[in-house]
Amino acid sequence: IMRAVRNMSQKELAELTEIPNTYLSDFETGKSLPPRERELTIRDALKWGQDMDTLLNEVEELAEREW
């Protein structure tokens, strides 16, 4: 979601983070989870702060209530 919001391609994120885009693809599709260090690298590159975590949690809660 955040990569799309930032209008960033997977290739751009891979170059910025020095993480192979095959690995990023696995992470985005849920095939694997990154180690904490890589997760933080990705979050930093996407400028993903605590405010985004809060926002996504609120969206998830609203979606659950609507269903």
Side-chain angles (χ1 to χ4, degrees):
I1 294 174
M2 281 304 296
R3 187 170 60 76
V5 168
R6 300 285 186 235
N7 198 28
M8 184 182 294
S9 72
Q10 195 174 77
K11 181 180 177 184
E12 290 170 321
L13 182 59
E15 290 171 357
L16 187 60
T17 59
E18 297 180 353
I19 297 172
N21 77 304
T22 53
Y23 178 83
L24 292 173
S25 176
D26 287 348
F27 173 57
E28 290 181 357
T29 59
K31 289 182 182 177
S32 67
L33 295 175
R36 183 71 175 151
E37 183 178 311
R38 283 199 170 176
E39 179 186 342
L40 294 175
T41 299
I42 294 166
R43 285 172 168 255
D44 287 346
L46 295 173
K47 297 176 178 36
W48 181 298
Q50 183 64 35
D51 56 331
M52 287 308 301
D53 287 334
T54 301
L55 177 63
L56 287 177
N57 287 335
E58 290 174 6
V59 168
E60 287 176 1
E61 288 175 12
L62 284 172
E64 288 174 4
R65 280 188 241 154
E66 305 236 347
W67 292 103

